[in-house]
Amino acid sequence: MIGRIFLVTALVLGAFLMLVPFFWMLSLSFKDSAEIFSPALDFFPAHLSLDNYITAFTKVDLGRFLVNGAVVCAGILVFQLLFSVPCAYALTQRRFRGRQVIFGLVLAGLLVPFHVTAIPLFLALAKLNLLDTYTALIVPFVTSMFGIFLFRQAFAALSPDLFDAARLDGLSETAIVWRIALPLVLPAATAFGIFSVVAHWNDLFWNLIVTSDPHLATPPRGILYFRDRESGSDIGPLMAATVIVIAPMIVGFLMAQRRFIQGLATGGLKG
């Protein structure tokens, strides 16, 4: 009983520490400048004001930045699924020479940070005149070693007899992959989708490298436009813009939370 109380207390304390910055950001987004820079520390705004949210949309093209983020994340996720699912299926349900070597290379690829390959990728895109395009934001991420690994673990938990029966019914390997295998691992696909979208929605590094056109800015880069070297950051609209940018991620995660946990649990069953 004491152990359970200690565990619950630790979880509540941890959740509180994690949520305080978000609550403070939300509180500042509803305060006016006088209240934000007041010496008194008030967690709740004295008056709820939407002026910061109106300024966030009028000062910069925040809607354009959100659309750019959605286009980039959707493009990356579609291609990652297109490549990762068949590759993971072949590694688990097909027998061919070099299969273990390929899987070893996938595991090795997980250890290589993206930043290591940033300069060669930038030079290649520059050579192809693809800088300042959606292509430059999407192409470097169309393959995902983590996606192959996660789907491979999920497919390994499925019975091979299921796929043998599908072959006896005359289905091609392509049809088995997309019509039978993928629907059976939807929790893993949901978990991977959340990881992918959150990672690329919040990515500032690559957008700063390959684009200089403000019309191609993604949400994290768009937030930077609220900074001013002379007058300082415009705190209220900055916090309002940040709330708007992270809101789709929070709503999406809450809606897919159950499948997300199932996907991670399934991926840990097979070695």
Side-chain angles (χ1 to χ4, degrees):
M1 186 64 182
I2 295 177
R4 184 176 178 82
I5 293 175
F6 176 78
L7 177 62
V8 172
T9 304
L11 290 175
V12 171
L13 182 61
F16 176 77
L17 293 175
M18 294 291 292
L19 290 176
V20 163
F22 289 95
F23 176 77
W24 187 241
M25 173 187 67
L26 187 64
S27 176
L28 289 179
S29 70
F30 288 107
K31 293 181 177 179
D32 55 30
S33 298
E35 193 175 359
I36 289 174
F37 294 103
S38 170
L41 182 61
D42 296 321
F43 282 98
F44 296 95
H47 306 285
L48 289 178
S49 172
L50 296 178
D51 291 345
N52 291 329
Y53 287 88
I54 296 173
T55 305
F57 276 105
T58 55
K59 184 175 181 177
V60 300
D61 197 355
L62 189 58
R64 177 64 179 262
F65 303 151
L66 294 173
V67 171
N68 288 340
V71 170
V72 171
C73 289
I76 291 173
L77 181 59
V78 167
F79 281 108
Q80 286 181 336
L81 291 175
L82 196 62
F83 294 134
S84 298
V85 172
C87 183
Y89 171 82
L91 288 174
T92 53
Q93 301 299 332
R94 303 297 297 171
R95 298 291 181 267
F96 55 90
R97 184 176 296 178
R99 186 178 65 142
Q100 294 302 325
V101 175
I102 294 175
F103 183 59
L105 292 174
V106 170
L107 294 179
L110 287 171
L111 303 176
V112 180
F114 172 74
H115 305 81
V116 173
T117 60
I119 293 178
L121 286 171
F122 172 80
L123 295 175
L125 292 169
K127 200 78 173 177
L128 296 171
N129 292 322
L130 290 176
L131 297 180
D132 269 332
T133 63
Y134 283 118
T135 304
L137 294 170
I138 294 174
V139 165
F141 305 101
V142 295
T143 58
S144 169
M145 297 300 108
F146 174 70
I148 296 172
F149 173 76
L150 188 65
F151 281 112
R152 186 262 183 193
Q153 298 301 95
F155 288 145
L158 302 178
S159 172
D161 296 339
L162 180 67
F163 302 109
D164 290 338
R167 294 186 188 101
L168 289 176
D169 288 339
L171 286 181
S172 65
E173 292 298 326
T174 302
I176 292 174
V177 170
W178 298 110
R179 293 170 59 183
I180 295 179
L182 182 59
L184 291 174
V185 297
L186 273 184
T190 304
F192 174 69
I194 290 175
F195 277 121
S196 174
V197 170
V198 170
H200 297 294
W201 183 269
N202 294 326
D203 181 35
L204 175 62
F205 172 76
W206 189 242
N207 191 282
L208 284 176
I209 290 180
V210 297
T211 63
S212 57
D213 185 356
H215 293 95
L216 288 173
T218 51
R221 185 179 161 203
I223 291 177
L224 294 181
Y225 294 126
F226 290 95
R227 292 192 312 172
D228 192 317
R229 291 184 178 179
E230 296 181 356
S231 60
S233 299
D234 201 353
I235 299 297
L238 173 62
M239 292 297 107
T242 307
V243 171
I244 294 169
V245 166
I246 68 172
M249 299 296 101
I250 294 175
V251 173
F253 176 78
L254 292 177
M255 292 176 64
Q257 183 180 13
R258 184 176 178 182
R259 286 189 179 274
F260 177 77
I261 296 173
Q262 288 177 345
L264 293 183
T266 303
L269 291 178
K270 290 286 183 178

